[in-house]
Amino acid sequence: MNASPQTAISIQSLTSLEHLERCVDLQREVWSYSDNDIVPRRVFIVAHRIGGQVLGAFDGQSLIGFAMSLPGYREGKSYLHSYMLAVLQQYQNLGIGRRLKLAQRDDAITRGFDLMEWTFDPLEIRNSHLNINRLGAIVRRYQADFYGPSSSPLQGGLPTDRLYAEWWLRSSHVADLLRGEPQPQEILERITVPHTIYQWKQDAQQRSLARALQGNNRTALESAFQRGLAVVGYERDTQGNGTFLMGPWKNSSEV
Ligand SMILES: CC(C)(COP(=O)(O)OP(=O)(O)OC[C@H]1O[C@@H](n2cnc3c(N)ncnc32)[C@H](O)[C@@H]1OP(=O)(O)O)[C@@H](O)C(=O)NCCC(=O)NCCS
């Protein structure tokens, strides 16, 4: 372990073949993907050339994390879809993932984007906390088995269900939260993920519990979204359980 304080980490746009190749290696190290699921260097080159983003986090000369996004288009508007965010395990929980996202936001705003989206696994408590509490993403769409089967052990053989994070880059919701002054939200429903989920996914004997929870939470989240609710907050308790806080999303113009 040679993790440095996060202040020693620099964030830079990646353009060299060597750095883009390192992003490919980082996928293997972070997700343990098989070759079939690895995004090749050529896609990083395309992302960089067509108006997406490839940003890296460096400890000295070592690339220890990256964020990659692609330009998207829906209902007459351009946005960025952030496809991958990865930080080497020994550098996780030092705020580097958050810094990569904030660098993506700065670059996106500079280039005129209002919206960045990405998908995340609703069973991942850490990612949910980062996306909703630390970045200010809101969620109102669910996609069951988004990618089909995944070779990553982190997925535990479960369907690749994903929530869509919407990050309204210039909204007061995001700006207030990033200033440390989140706006109060009306909470009407709560949907919990127990901290034992990680153990359930990794243990073949307990995987049926993870599968059942995924199914129940899928039903609850889809039902809430159909009734016009959004994920507007996230709560972690002292045991490490995570809870989606569902409420009305007031900024209805942000669709
Ligand atoms: C997701 C990932 C990119 C985050 O990067 P990171 O540098 O660790 O993120 P940060 O340190 O900025 O934020 C992590 C937050 O989760 C918190 N956290 C850590 N473990 C947690 C847990 N078990 N439950 C809840 N929160 C947890 C951290 O304390 C931190 O929150 P804080 O800033 O309020 O203290 C990184 O963990 C990773 O590469 N994971 C594997 C790949 C992945 O899942 N990528 C995202 C989907 S593409």
Side-chain angles (χ1 to χ4, degrees):
M1 300 251 293
N2 61 344
S4 313
Q6 58 157 312
T7 46
I9 303 290
S10 65
I11 310 282
Q12 295 164 33
S13 175
L14 303 182
T15 54
S16 75
L17 290 185
E18 180 199 342
H19 286 148
L20 298 179
E21 191 62 53
R22 176 75 186 124
C23 292
V24 177
D25 293 340
L26 278 170
Q27 292 174 67
R28 291 199 179 86
E29 291 167 40
V30 170
W31 281 281
S32 308
Y33 280 144
S34 69
D35 284 348
N36 279 347
D37 283 343
I38 293 277
V39 172
R41 189 186 67 199
R42 283 171 178 235
V43 176
F44 287 88
I45 294 170
V46 168
H48 169 64
R49 296 231 167 111
I50 65 170
Q53 300 168 319
V54 189
L55 301 178
F58 287 85
D59 181 2
Q61 300 296 310
S62 302
L63 184 58
I64 54 90
F66 72 89
M68 187 263 258
S69 71
L70 297 161
Y73 180 81
R74 191 174 53 242
E75 292 169 5
K77 290 199 172 157
S78 301
Y79 65 99
L80 286 170
H81 179 88
S82 181
Y83 177 36
M84 300 186 116
L85 175 69
V87 173
L88 268 184
Q89 192 174 16
Q90 60 268 41
Y91 289 88
Q92 291 178 4
N93 302 324
L94 296 171
I96 298 168
R98 182 167 183 270
R99 283 187 58 195
L100 279 163
K101 297 302 297 181
L102 293 177
Q104 282 185 310
R105 175 174 179 261
D106 287 346
D107 171 73
I109 288 177
T110 303
R111 292 194 288 127
F113 288 101
D114 292 327
L115 173 66
M116 180 178 294
E117 291 191 349
W118 60 93
T119 61
F120 67 101
D121 184 341
L123 300 182
E124 288 289 331
I125 297 169
R126 171 171 53 181
N127 296 9
S128 302
H129 164 73
L130 172 62
N131 294 335
I132 299 159
N133 287 340
R134 302 291 276 146
L135 298 173
I138 59 134
V139 181
R140 45 193 168 173
R141 284 177 284 153
Y142 194 102
Q143 181 67 55
D145 205 23
F146 188 100
Y147 295 110
S150 167
S151 60
S152 172
L154 300 180
Q155 192 65 39
L158 264 60
T160 48
D161 286 21
R162 294 292 183 264
L163 289 169
Y164 281 91
E166 295 174 37
W167 204 21
W168 290 95
L169 303 167
R170 303 167 202 253
S171 65
S172 57
H173 176 77
V174 169
D176 292 348
L177 186 134
L178 294 182
R179 259 205 325 274
E181 296 167 13
Q183 294 165 8
Q185 302 291 333
E186 184 185 358
I187 307 304
L188 299 177
E189 290 175 22
R190 307 161 76 85
I191 298 167
T192 293
V193 178
H195 71 279
T196 43
I197 186 64
Y198 298 107
Q199 187 189 321
W200 292 352
K201 278 202 287 188
Q202 296 317 317
D203 178 354
Q205 307 290 322
Q206 295 185 296
R207 201 158 290 153
S208 60
L209 296 172
R211 218 172 258 277
L213 177 82
Q214 186 187 54
N216 289 340
N217 280 8
R218 177 195 295 164
T219 303
L221 284 159
E222 284 180 336
S223 156
F225 295 151
Q226 273 159 19
R227 286 176 286 117
L229 299 183
V231 176
V232 293
Y234 198 74
E235 212 167 67
R236 291 180 306 172
D237 65 18
T238 48
Q239 288 180 298
N241 305 309
T243 300
F244 292 103
L245 306 178
M246 315 297 298
W249 176 243
K250 297 183 200 86
N251 305 31
S252 57
S253 62
E254 289 166 354
V255 178

mmCIF file of all heavy atoms in Angstrom, residues 223-247:
data_model
loop_
_atom_site.group_PDB
_atom_site.id
_atom_site.type_symbol
_atom_site.label_atom_id
_atom_site.label_comp_id
_atom_site.label_asym_id
_atom_site.label_seq_id
_atom_site.Cartn_x
_atom_site.Cartn_y
_atom_site.Cartn_z
ATOM 1 N N SER A 223 -41.784 0.853 -8.866
ATOM 2 C CA SER A 223 -43.118 1.322 -8.476
ATOM 3 C C SER A 223 -43.067 2.800 -8.066
ATOM 4 O O SER A 223 -43.904 3.604 -8.473
ATOM 5 C CB SER A 223 -43.648 0.445 -7.332
ATOM 6 O OG SER A 223 -44.614 1.137 -6.592
ATOM 7 N N ALA A 224 -42.064 3.150 -7.274
ATOM 8 C CA ALA A 224 -41.949 4.555 -6.831
ATOM 9 C C ALA A 224 -41.734 5.477 -8.031
ATOM 10 O O ALA A 224 -42.348 6.549 -8.128
ATOM 11 C CB ALA A 224 -40.800 4.691 -5.832
ATOM 12 N N PHE A 225 -40.874 5.057 -8.971
ATOM 13 C CA PHE A 225 -40.615 5.899 -10.150
ATOM 14 C C PHE A 225 -41.893 6.068 -10.975
ATOM 15 O O PHE A 225 -42.191 7.158 -11.463
ATOM 16 C CB PHE A 225 -39.499 5.299 -11.017
ATOM 17 C CG PHE A 225 -38.146 5.255 -10.352
ATOM 18 C CD1 PHE A 225 -37.215 4.282 -10.684
ATOM 19 C CD2 PHE A 225 -37.794 6.190 -9.383
ATOM 20 C CE1 PHE A 225 -35.968 4.237 -10.072
ATOM 21 C CE2 PHE A 225 -36.549 6.156 -8.760
ATOM 22 C CZ PHE A 225 -35.643 5.164 -9.106
ATOM 23 N N GLN A 226 -42.674 4.970 -11.100
ATOM 24 C CA GLN A 226 -43.916 5.062 -11.886
ATOM 25 C C GLN A 226 -44.897 6.045 -11.248
ATOM 26 O O GLN A 226 -45.696 6.675 -11.921
ATOM 27 C CB GLN A 226 -44.580 3.690 -11.995
ATOM 28 C CG GLN A 226 -44.057 2.875 -13.171
ATOM 29 C CD GLN A 226 -44.310 1.389 -12.999
ATOM 30 O OE1 GLN A 226 -45.160 0.977 -12.212
ATOM 31 N NE2 GLN A 226 -43.557 0.583 -13.729
ATOM 32 N N ARG A 227 -44.815 6.165 -9.918
ATOM 33 C CA ARG A 227 -45.715 7.098 -9.225
ATOM 34 C C ARG A 227 -45.125 8.508 -9.133
ATOM 35 O O ARG A 227 -45.598 9.345 -8.376
ATOM 36 C CB ARG A 227 -46.048 6.544 -7.827
ATOM 37 C CG ARG A 227 -47.029 5.364 -7.911
ATOM 38 C CD ARG A 227 -47.299 4.724 -6.562
ATOM 39 N NE ARG A 227 -46.166 3.926 -6.118
ATOM 40 C CZ ARG A 227 -45.429 4.163 -5.029
ATOM 41 N NH1 ARG A 227 -45.711 5.199 -4.264
ATOM 42 N NH2 ARG A 227 -44.427 3.383 -4.705
ATOM 43 N N GLY A 228 -44.059 8.754 -9.876
ATOM 44 C CA GLY A 228 -43.520 10.119 -9.971
ATOM 45 C C GLY A 228 -42.522 10.478 -8.896
ATOM 46 O O GLY A 228 -42.081 11.630 -8.812
ATOM 47 N N LEU A 229 -42.140 9.491 -8.054
ATOM 48 C CA LEU A 229 -41.133 9.797 -7.038
ATOM 49 C C LEU A 229 -39.734 9.629 -7.628
ATOM 50 O O LEU A 229 -39.548 8.948 -8.636
ATOM 51 C CB LEU A 229 -41.285 8.866 -5.832
ATOM 52 C CG LEU A 229 -42.624 8.926 -5.086
ATOM 53 C CD1 LEU A 229 -42.598 8.000 -3.876
ATOM 54 C CD2 LEU A 229 -42.947 10.347 -4.660
ATOM 55 N N ALA A 230 -38.757 10.242 -6.967
ATOM 56 C CA ALA A 230 -37.350 10.122 -7.368
ATOM 57 C C ALA A 230 -36.526 9.783 -6.122
ATOM 58 O O ALA A 230 -36.983 9.995 -5.004
ATOM 59 C CB ALA A 230 -36.873 11.442 -7.968
ATOM 60 N N VAL A 231 -35.324 9.255 -6.359
ATOM 61 C CA VAL A 231 -34.377 9.146 -5.236
ATOM 62 C C VAL A 231 -33.809 10.549 -5.025
ATOM 63 O O VAL A 231 -33.111 11.081 -5.899
ATOM 64 C CB VAL A 231 -33.222 8.163 -5.548
ATOM 65 C CG1 VAL A 231 -32.207 8.160 -4.407
ATOM 66 C CG2 VAL A 231 -33.756 6.755 -5.811
ATOM 67 N N VAL A 232 -34.132 11.150 -3.876
ATOM 68 C CA VAL A 232 -33.673 12.519 -3.617
ATOM 69 C C VAL A 232 -32.669 12.572 -2.460
ATOM 70 O O VAL A 232 -32.158 13.642 -2.123
ATOM 71 C CB VAL A 232 -34.870 13.462 -3.323
ATOM 72 C CG1 VAL A 232 -35.738 13.634 -4.567
ATOM 73 C CG2 VAL A 232 -35.712 12.954 -2.146
ATOM 74 N N GLY A 233 -32.396 11.411 -1.849
ATOM 75 C CA GLY A 233 -31.412 11.383 -0.768
ATOM 76 C C GLY A 233 -31.028 9.951 -0.469
ATOM 77 O O GLY A 233 -31.616 8.996 -0.997
ATOM 78 N N TYR A 234 -30.010 9.797 0.364
ATOM 79 C CA TYR A 234 -29.525 8.462 0.723
ATOM 80 C C TYR A 234 -29.037 8.534 2.159
ATOM 81 O O TYR A 234 -28.435 9.523 2.580
ATOM 82 C CB TYR A 234 -28.375 8.053 -0.203
ATOM 83 C CG TYR A 234 -28.093 6.574 -0.206
ATOM 84 C CD1 TYR A 234 -28.935 5.684 -0.857
ATOM 85 C CD2 TYR A 234 -26.974 6.058 0.451
ATOM 86 C CE1 TYR A 234 -28.678 4.322 -0.873
ATOM 87 C CE2 TYR A 234 -26.705 4.695 0.435
ATOM 88 C CZ TYR A 234 -27.560 3.835 -0.229
ATOM 89 O OH TYR A 234 -27.307 2.491 -0.244
ATOM 90 N N GLU A 235 -29.299 7.480 2.888
ATOM 91 C CA GLU A 235 -28.944 7.487 4.309
ATOM 92 C C GLU A 235 -28.080 6.269 4.594
ATOM 93 O O GLU A 235 -28.368 5.179 4.087
ATOM 94 C CB GLU A 235 -30.234 7.363 5.115
ATOM 95 C CG GLU A 235 -30.235 8.047 6.442
ATOM 96 C CD GLU A 235 -31.679 8.101 6.951
ATOM 97 O OE1 GLU A 235 -32.242 7.037 7.260
ATOM 98 O OE2 GLU A 235 -32.227 9.206 7.000
ATOM 99 N N ARG A 236 -27.026 6.439 5.368
ATOM 100 C CA ARG A 236 -26.260 5.284 5.860
ATOM 101 C C ARG A 236 -26.416 5.258 7.369
ATOM 102 O O ARG A 236 -26.360 6.314 8.016
ATOM 103 C CB ARG A 236 -24.775 5.449 5.536
ATOM 104 C CG ARG A 236 -24.446 5.364 4.075
ATOM 105 C CD ARG A 236 -22.952 5.533 3.846
ATOM 106 N NE ARG A 236 -22.456 6.764 4.454
ATOM 107 C CZ ARG A 236 -21.187 7.109 4.547
ATOM 108 N NH1 ARG A 236 -20.252 6.296 4.093
ATOM 109 N NH2 ARG A 236 -20.815 8.242 5.087
ATOM 110 N N ASP A 237 -26.615 4.067 7.953
ATOM 111 C CA ASP A 237 -26.684 4.026 9.416
ATOM 112 C C ASP A 237 -25.347 3.545 9.976
ATOM 113 O O ASP A 237 -24.413 3.265 9.227
ATOM 114 C CB ASP A 237 -27.879 3.179 9.895
ATOM 115 C CG ASP A 237 -27.740 1.714 9.528
ATOM 116 O OD1 ASP A 237 -26.610 1.273 9.225
ATOM 117 O OD2 ASP A 237 -28.769 1.008 9.538
ATOM 118 N N THR A 238 -25.274 3.439 11.290
ATOM 119 C CA THR A 238 -23.983 3.135 11.916
ATOM 120 C C THR A 238 -23.517 1.716 11.589
ATOM 121 O O THR A 238 -22.329 1.423 11.642
ATOM 122 C CB THR A 238 -24.084 3.290 13.450
ATOM 123 O OG1 THR A 238 -25.258 2.583 13.870
ATOM 124 C CG2 THR A 238 -24.172 4.737 13.860
ATOM 125 N N GLN A 239 -24.449 0.834 11.213
ATOM 126 C CA GLN A 239 -24.053 -0.541 10.857
ATOM 127 C C GLN A 239 -23.553 -0.638 9.416
ATOM 128 O O GLN A 239 -23.032 -1.673 9.013
ATOM 129 C CB GLN A 239 -25.252 -1.476 10.997
ATOM 130 C CG GLN A 239 -25.655 -1.743 12.434
ATOM 131 C CD GLN A 239 -26.855 -2.669 12.433
ATOM 132 O OE1 GLN A 239 -27.915 -2.325 11.916
ATOM 133 N NE2 GLN A 239 -26.677 -3.849 12.995
ATOM 134 N N GLY A 240 -23.801 0.422 8.615
ATOM 135 C CA GLY A 240 -23.368 0.385 7.209
ATOM 136 C C GLY A 240 -24.490 0.059 6.239
ATOM 137 O O GLY A 240 -24.248 -0.119 5.048
ATOM 138 N N ASN A 241 -25.749 -0.055 6.762
ATOM 139 C CA ASN A 241 -26.877 -0.259 5.847
ATOM 140 C C ASN A 241 -27.127 1.038 5.070
ATOM 141 O O ASN A 241 -26.873 2.129 5.582
ATOM 142 C CB ASN A 241 -28.150 -0.620 6.635
ATOM 143 C CG ASN A 241 -27.929 -1.826 7.528
ATOM 144 O OD1 ASN A 241 -27.447 -2.851 7.070
ATOM 145 N ND2 ASN A 241 -28.259 -1.697 8.809
ATOM 146 N N GLY A 242 -27.651 0.897 3.858
ATOM 147 C CA GLY A 242 -27.951 2.079 3.053
ATOM 148 C C GLY A 242 -29.441 2.149 2.755
ATOM 149 O O GLY A 242 -30.090 1.106 2.589
ATOM 150 N N THR A 243 -29.992 3.364 2.686
ATOM 151 C CA THR A 243 -31.430 3.512 2.421
ATOM 152 C C THR A 243 -31.668 4.613 1.393
ATOM 153 O O THR A 243 -31.213 5.754 1.576
ATOM 154 C CB THR A 243 -32.190 3.848 3.720
ATOM 155 O OG1 THR A 243 -31.998 2.785 4.651
ATOM 156 C CG2 THR A 243 -33.685 4.020 3.464
ATOM 157 N N PHE A 244 -32.355 4.243 0.304
ATOM 158 C CA PHE A 244 -32.778 5.250 -0.676
ATOM 159 C C PHE A 244 -33.935 6.047 -0.098
ATOM 160 O O PHE A 244 -34.906 5.463 0.412
ATOM 161 C CB PHE A 244 -33.243 4.577 -1.973
ATOM 162 C CG PHE A 244 -32.147 3.906 -2.731
ATOM 163 C CD1 PHE A 244 -31.993 2.528 -2.692
ATOM 164 C CD2 PHE A 244 -31.249 4.655 -3.488
ATOM 165 C CE1 PHE A 244 -30.963 1.898 -3.395
ATOM 166 C CE2 PHE A 244 -30.215 4.035 -4.194
ATOM 167 C CZ PHE A 244 -30.076 2.663 -4.139
ATOM 168 N N LEU A 245 -33.859 7.363 -0.189
ATOM 169 C CA LEU A 245 -34.926 8.238 0.297
ATOM 170 C C LEU A 245 -35.693 8.743 -0.923
ATOM 171 O O LEU A 245 -35.121 9.406 -1.804
ATOM 172 C CB LEU A 245 -34.325 9.401 1.095
ATOM 173 C CG LEU A 245 -33.392 8.986 2.255
ATOM 174 C CD1 LEU A 245 -32.824 10.214 2.951
ATOM 175 C CD2 LEU A 245 -34.129 8.090 3.260
ATOM 176 N N MET A 246 -36.977 8.383 -0.976
ATOM 177 C CA MET A 246 -37.795 8.668 -2.154
ATOM 178 C C MET A 246 -38.717 9.849 -1.877
ATOM 179 O O MET A 246 -39.401 9.889 -0.841
ATOM 180 C CB MET A 246 -38.665 7.456 -2.512
ATOM 181 C CG MET A 246 -37.965 6.104 -2.491
ATOM 182 S SD MET A 246 -36.630 5.962 -3.688
ATOM 183 C CE MET A 246 -37.518 6.162 -5.207
ATOM 184 N N GLY A 247 -38.742 10.787 -2.806
ATOM 185 C CA GLY A 247 -39.621 11.940 -2.619
ATOM 186 C C GLY A 247 -39.933 12.583 -3.954
ATOM 187 O O GLY A 247 -39.398 12.175 -4.998
#
